[in-house]
Amino acid sequence: MKHITFNRGIIFRIFLVLALVAGMASFPGQGARAAIDAASFAAKVDFGTGTSPFRFAIGDLDGDGKPDLAVANANGGSVSVLRNTSTSGSLSFDAKVDFNTGTSPYTVAIGDLDGDGKPDLAVANLNSSTVSVLRNTSTSGSVAFAAKVDFGTGGGPTSVAIGDLDGDGKPDLAVANYNGNTISLLRNTSTSGSVSFAAKVDFSTGTNPYDVAISDLDGDGKPDLAVMNYNEDTVSVLRNTSTSGSVAFAPKVDFGTGSHAHNVVIGDLDGDGKPDLAVANYASDTISLLRNTSTSGSISFAAKVDFGTGNNPYYVAIGDLDGDGKPDLAAANWTSNNVSVLRNTSTSGNVSFAAKVNFSAGNNPASVAIGDLDGDGKPDLAVANWNSDSVSVLRNTQLPSTFADVPTDQWYYSWVERLYAAGITSGCGTNPLFYCPDDSVTRAQMAKFIEKGINGSAYTPPAGTGMVFADVPLSYWADNWIEKFYADGITSGCILSPLTYCPDNLVTRAQMAIFLLRARHGHAYTPPAVGGSTGFNDVSTSYWDAAWIKQLAAEAITSGCGSGNYCPEDPVTRAQMAKFLVLTFNLP
């Protein structure tokens, strides 16, 4: 497939460093979300940039607590800064303010380079073979930067990343040199208010390195380098062997990718504690994921696993977009004019993602970033559009879920939410809040659920005596609820002599039919005779509580367990219990 060209030749791939990693965490105070679908993000809102925006970074540049945008304008010789003026649920940015860079700036990274507490800008200039550093002089509400200071790199720098490579506490620069087949490392020698870097030290890469990312890949406490080699279809990993004041790396180790991969980003995709690699393959229309199998001092990755994107993905970003605690993927697709979002379905040791969902962007989207731009706790998408001279921002509209283990695409989501809103349940665990939908309900839990359904969320029964049931002493956590349950005539226990309740036994669906109908109609209620059929294949008319089960269905509290069955001997799950209770007590 022919690579994209413009008036200066090949459009070079660069690396986006996100100063804000808001997209990597679950939404504050909330749990899982719906499976990502077409309604998960609002339609794009566009904001003007300089000419040919290619890569950008997100960070709070003026210290007002809102993440701003810094955009490298490849044909503009500048960086555009868009100050964030958004409020929760509404996206807005001030008109761009431009700052001069070198020739053909292709990437911008954000980091506090001089240690004064303000995030500065580092820009890779393709046709200047330099990195421009712009020192931040902003105040809250006003963005300002000192004039650029340039530092030499290898030939044709296309990507810059920021990280403390030698462990001296100062963030250094790593630059991918497309024309030099090298990585230039610039050790930070800055002091507060004055930016300076030692002369570059070069390390060999593959052919035409487009992109560089920094992370501790082997878990030895030193940040390593991952370099995307466009014309080798490989990613080179260079293990850090630096000491304080001296930058050093082991020779590259190469791992296969898809065709003409443009960038590499790093994140723990399968939750095993090791950072993995994600690569956008321009000519393959895929993202390659390389699972980290490294040990301290030894770098290794499993063979790539590919997932489909739109046409010609130029960039991939990592962030938890649905709030389930797993980092998802977003790919900017150059010729599709859209962004593909892939929801993470991985488990430890196994990388997997749901099929892509596409969202419209501007013309020729070159990069995408993830961050909470409007402060509503949900990570949004931002996309740099090369041929629109704009950044498109797509606001995250995922539905909230109270419980971390109750995704909104599950059948029981709305029932659990209604149960929680009615105050009948507070879940099964906190930090984060869990509901445990697949756990079975015990007879003790059932007593509390039903009594709250009868009496309301604020109800607390009288203190128990511990003298009603032989197996429910006063010290038992639900003694007062169980005694109230008995006093209301909804239960007569599980054994009559001696009277016992079996509080930790699981409740079957057959038993639940009786408990629910008595709770709804009173302890003296008796259902109509069963007649000639129960309506369920697995419940005969001679079954011990056939009439109760038939009546539960007649009152539209159950439709069975599927395929015309009721599954009377199956334990009731907490998910099923939520629906039973909402329907029995007509909870809003």
Side-chain angles (χ1 to χ4, degrees):
M1 181 176 291
K2 186 177 179 180
H3 190 51
I4 301 166
T5 60
F6 76 117
N7 60 352
R8 291 186 180 273
I10 293 177
I11 293 178
F12 293 100
R13 181 73 183 92
I14 59 168
F15 175 61
L16 165 67
V17 175
L18 290 178
L20 180 76
V21 197
M24 294 301 292
S26 296
F27 306 164
Q30 298 174 343
R33 298 304 188 272
I36 293 169
D37 59 25
S40 295
F41 290 88
K44 69 183 179 73
V45 180
D46 293 336
F47 300 92
T49 66
T51 305
S52 305
F54 202 58
R55 294 294 178 264
F56 66 105
I58 300 177
D60 181 8
L61 297 174
D62 66 338
D64 66 353
K66 297 181 179 183
D68 310 299
L69 303 179
V71 185
N73 304 308
N75 283 332
S78 65
V79 168
S80 294
V81 175
L82 287 72
R83 192 173 73 85
N84 193 338
T85 58
S86 304
T87 56
S88 182
S90 177
L91 292 166
S92 62
F93 289 83
D94 279 346
K96 69 182 178 72
V97 179
D98 292 337
F99 300 90
N100 291 331
T101 65
T103 306
S104 302
Y106 273 75
T107 184
V108 57
I110 297 176
D112 181 7
L113 297 173
D114 66 339
D116 66 353
K118 296 181 179 182
D120 309 300
L121 303 179
V123 184
N125 305 304
L126 169 66
N127 287 333
S128 297
S129 294
T130 60
V131 168
S132 295
V133 176
L134 288 73
R135 191 171 67 82
N136 193 336
T137 59
S138 304
T139 56
S140 183
S142 178
V143 173
F145 287 85
K148 69 182 178 73
V149 179
D150 292 334
F151 301 90
T153 66
T158 51
S159 171
V160 58
I162 298 175
D164 181 7
L165 298 174
D166 65 340
D168 67 353
K170 296 181 178 182
D172 309 301
L173 302 180
V175 182
N177 303 307
Y178 183 86
N179 295 331
N181 298 333
T182 59
I183 289 288
S184 292
L185 303 183
L186 287 74
R187 191 171 65 83
N188 193 336
T189 58
S190 304
T191 57
S192 182
S194 176
V195 174
S196 63
F197 287 85
K200 70 181 177 72
V201 179
D202 291 338
F203 296 88
S204 295
T205 65
T207 305
N208 301 129
Y210 252 41
D211 200 7
V212 58
I214 298 175
S215 182
D216 180 9
L217 296 173
D218 66 339
D220 66 352
K222 297 181 179 182
D224 308 299
L225 303 177
V227 184
M228 194 68 257
N229 303 307
Y230 173 75
N231 276 322
E232 277 191 3
D233 298 340
T234 63
V235 58
S236 295
V237 177
L238 288 73
R239 190 171 69 83
N240 193 335
T241 59
S242 304
T243 57
S244 182
S246 177
V247 175
F249 284 82
K252 68 183 178 74
V253 180
D254 293 335
F255 301 92
T257 67
S259 180
H260 288 97
H262 273 218
N263 88 297
V264 57
V265 290
I266 301 174
D268 182 8
L269 298 174
D270 66 339
D272 66 352
K274 296 181 179 182
D276 309 299
L277 304 180
V279 177
N281 303 307
Y282 177 85
S284 300
D285 296 343
T286 59
I287 295 171
S288 291
L289 302 182
L290 288 75
R291 191 171 66 82
N292 193 336
T293 58
S294 304
T295 56
S296 182
S298 178
I299 300 282
S300 62
F301 286 84
K304 70 181 178 73
V305 180
D306 293 336
F307 297 89
T309 65
N311 296 331
N312 305 126
Y314 233 78
Y315 195 88
V316 59
I318 297 177
D320 182 8
L321 295 171
D322 64 344
D324 65 353
K326 298 180 179 182
D328 308 300
L329 303 175
N333 303 309
W334 180 272
T335 54
S336 294
N337 295 332
N338 60 22
V339 174
S340 294
V341 175
L342 288 74
R343 182 171 177 262
N344 193 334
T345 58
S346 304
T347 56
S348 183
N350 179 43
V351 174
S352 64
F353 283 80
K356 67 183 175 69
V357 180
N358 292 331
F359 301 91
S360 294
N363 294 328
N364 300 125
S367 61
V368 58
I370 297 173
D372 180 11
L373 297 174
D374 66 341
D376 66 352
K378 300 176 183 181
D380 309 299
L381 299 177
V383 186
N385 305 304
W386 175 273
N387 277 324
S388 297
D389 293 343
S390 66
V391 170
S392 295
V393 179
L394 290 75
R395 191 170 66 82
N396 193 329
T397 56
Q398 286 281 76
L399 292 172
S401 177
T402 301
F403 297 99
D405 56 352
V406 181
T408 57
D409 61 331
Q410 296 298 315
W411 70 265
Y412 48 80
Y413 164 74
S414 62
W415 304 108
V416 173
E417 287 292 321
R418 291 167 70 178
L419 197 69
Y420 179 79
I424 307 301
T425 185
S426 57
C428 63
T430 58
N431 296 321
L433 192 61
F434 287 101
Y435 181 72
C436 305
D438 297 322
D439 285 3
S440 298
V441 178
T442 67
R443 287 169 58 87
Q445 294 167 346
M446 176 198 60
K448 184 173 181 179
F449 276 137
I450 290 181
E451 285 295 338
K452 276 188 170 285
I454 294 171
N455 297 288
S457 62
Y459 176 74
T460 300
T465 65
M467 299 172 62
V468 176
F469 293 102
D471 58 349
V472 184
L474 183 60
S475 59
Y476 190 78
W477 71 268
D479 174 56
N480 55 337
W481 295 99
I482 292 170
E483 290 190 16
K484 174 62 174 171
F485 204 47
Y486 178 76
D488 286 345
I490 301 174
T491 185
S492 55
C494 63
I495 300 174
L496 295 180
S497 182
L499 187 60
T500 53
Y501 181 72
C502 306
D504 297 320
N505 285 8
L506 302 182
V507 182
T508 68
R509 289 170 56 88
Q511 295 165 347
M512 185 59 72
I514 298 175
F515 291 135
L516 293 175
L517 290 173
R518 283 181 176 171
R520 192 179 215 196
H521 299 296
H523 70 277
Y525 176 76
T526 300
V530 68
S533 171
T534 64
F536 294 106
N537 299 328
D538 58 349
V539 181
S540 69
T541 56
S542 60
Y543 188 74
W544 68 272
D545 74 339
W548 295 90
I549 292 172
K550 182 176 182 178
Q551 185 61 23
L552 198 70
E555 297 189 19
I557 297 173
T558 186
S559 58
C561 62
S563 300
N565 297 321
Y566 180 74
C567 305
E569 302 302 323
D570 285 1
V572 176
T573 67
R574 288 172 58 89
Q576 295 166 351
M577 186 70 176
K579 183 175 182 179
F580 280 144
L581 292 172
V582 168
L583 293 174
T584 297
F585 298 111
N586 296 315
L587 300 177

